[in-house]
């Protein structure tokens, strides 16, 4: 027997719940990936990599839910925009989780080496990325357009930290050739975190269409 359809608004609430659940999973992956790097812990890194399949499956479930909603005739123009925006938000979250995996792979490569400098900028960048993801998703599901410009501005801080690390790498190339390989790996980690913030900016920009 076919499962009875829920009221349309209840289906929309379920979609928002699914997005928040997916966002929480990705946010935890970011935090654990950075922790794996700082602690040089391969077990944490491997756990993050394994959890990527969970986020992939969540994205597929969101896509199916959105398609079911789009097939129904009860949606207004505003609700249709919200559903199509949710599809894109799910894709952004999936890419965020992929970057957490990239950071974890870097953590594994660096786990057996003595890091040439204390890691300060990367944990800070990780906190910015986690906060942006949590707050932008919250704004999206609440359709809070007032929050979007504030959240987008947070990306500027992430860009500034990444730029600082690039400049620092140039100095390392000149002063400590033995640290170049590590410095490049850490710069890639910073790049992945900066890209996560860019995906969060994408979500914030979609609040206006939500």
């Amino acid at each position: 027997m076919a499962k009875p359809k829920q009221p349309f608004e209840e289906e929309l609430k379920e979609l928002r719940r699914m997005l928040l659940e997916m966002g929480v999973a990705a946010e935890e992956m970011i935090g654990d990936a950075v922790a794996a790097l700082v602690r040089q812990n391969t077990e944490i890194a491997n756990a993050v990599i394994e959890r990527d399949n969970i986020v992939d499956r969540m994205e597929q479930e969101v896509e199916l839910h959105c398609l079911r909603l789009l097939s129904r005739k009860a949606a207004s123009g505003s609700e249709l925009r919200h559903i199509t925006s949710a599809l894109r938000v799910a894709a952004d979250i999936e890419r965020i989780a992929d970057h957490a995996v990239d950071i974890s792979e870097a953590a594994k490569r660096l786990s057996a080496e003595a890091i040439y400098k204390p890691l300060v900028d990367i944990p800070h960048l990780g906190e910015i990325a986690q906060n942006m993801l949590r707050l932008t998703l919250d704004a999206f599901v609440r359709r809070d357009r007032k929050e979007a410009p504030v959240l987008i501005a947070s990306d500027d801080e992430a860009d500034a930290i990444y730029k600082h690390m690039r400049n620092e790498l140039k100095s390392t190339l000149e002063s400590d050739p033995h640290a170049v390989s590590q410095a490049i790996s850490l710069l890639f980690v910073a790049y992945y975190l900066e890209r996560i913030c860019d995906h969060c900016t994408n979500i914030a920009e979609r609040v206006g269409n939500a």
Side-chain angles (χ1 to χ4, degrees):
M1 181 181 293
K3 184 179 178 182
K5 289 184 178 179
Q6 290 183 314
F8 193 79
E9 184 56 40
E10 291 301 313
E11 293 275 18
L12 283 177
K13 287 181 181 178
E14 176 64 9
L15 172 59
R16 295 171 194 135
R17 185 201 65 77
M18 293 168 74
L19 283 175
L20 286 174
E21 183 181 16
M22 191 178 174
V24 168
E27 182 188 338
E28 290 175 350
M29 286 176 69
I30 297 167
D32 288 348
V34 173
L37 178 69
V38 172
R39 300 177 194 173
Q40 296 186 285
N41 188 312
T42 57
E43 289 184 8
I44 298 176
N46 284 327
V48 172
I49 294 167
E50 290 172 4
R51 276 147 57 195
D52 187 45
N53 289 332
I54 296 174
V55 176
D56 289 344
R57 186 167 65 250
M58 287 178 172
E59 184 193 17
Q60 293 170 0
E61 291 170 355
V62 168
E63 287 175 351
L64 288 173
H65 196 81
C66 287
L67 291 173
R68 284 196 299 269
L69 286 172
L70 290 170
S71 70
R72 294 176 65 170
K73 300 183 184 303
S76 66
S78 173
E79 288 166 339
L80 287 172
R81 288 193 297 274
H82 185 60
I83 296 164
T84 54
S85 292
L87 278 168
R88 297 186 180 97
V89 168
D92 278 311
I93 300 172
E94 192 275 334
R95 289 299 297 134
I96 287 169
D98 285 346
H99 287 313
V101 169
D102 292 332
I103 295 166
S104 297
E105 294 286 6
K108 289 174 66 176
R109 289 194 301 272
L110 295 172
S111 62
E113 302 179 18
I115 304 298
Y116 77 97
K117 55 163 284 185
L119 297 180
V120 176
D121 291 328
I122 285 175
H124 184 198
L125 201 50
E127 289 176 4
I128 293 171
Q130 286 182 282
N131 288 334
M132 280 190 72
L133 177 56
R134 181 169 60 255
L135 295 173
T136 50
L137 264 182
D138 183 63
F140 182 84
V141 299
R142 289 189 294 108
R143 303 187 183 190
D144 188 349
R145 292 172 174 81
K146 293 181 292 185
E147 285 292 320
V150 178
L151 296 167
I152 291 170
S154 298
D155 190 42
D156 294 338
E157 184 179 2
D159 290 341
I161 294 172
Y162 178 58
K163 183 178 179 180
H164 167 73
M165 290 191 69
R166 281 189 305 173
N167 292 335
E168 193 175 61
L169 174 60
K170 293 178 183 178
S171 299
T172 301
L173 290 170
E174 297 171 357
S175 62
D176 189 359
H178 297 293
V180 168
S181 177
Q182 266 191 21
I184 291 173
S185 291
L186 294 174
L187 185 64
F188 268 111
V189 169
Y191 169 75
Y192 299 138
L193 288 168
E194 192 268 341
R195 288 296 298 139
I196 287 172
C197 292
D198 287 344
H199 284 291
C200 293
T201 298
N202 291 344
I203 296 171
E205 289 172 345
R206 292 188 180 108
V207 173
N209 296 322

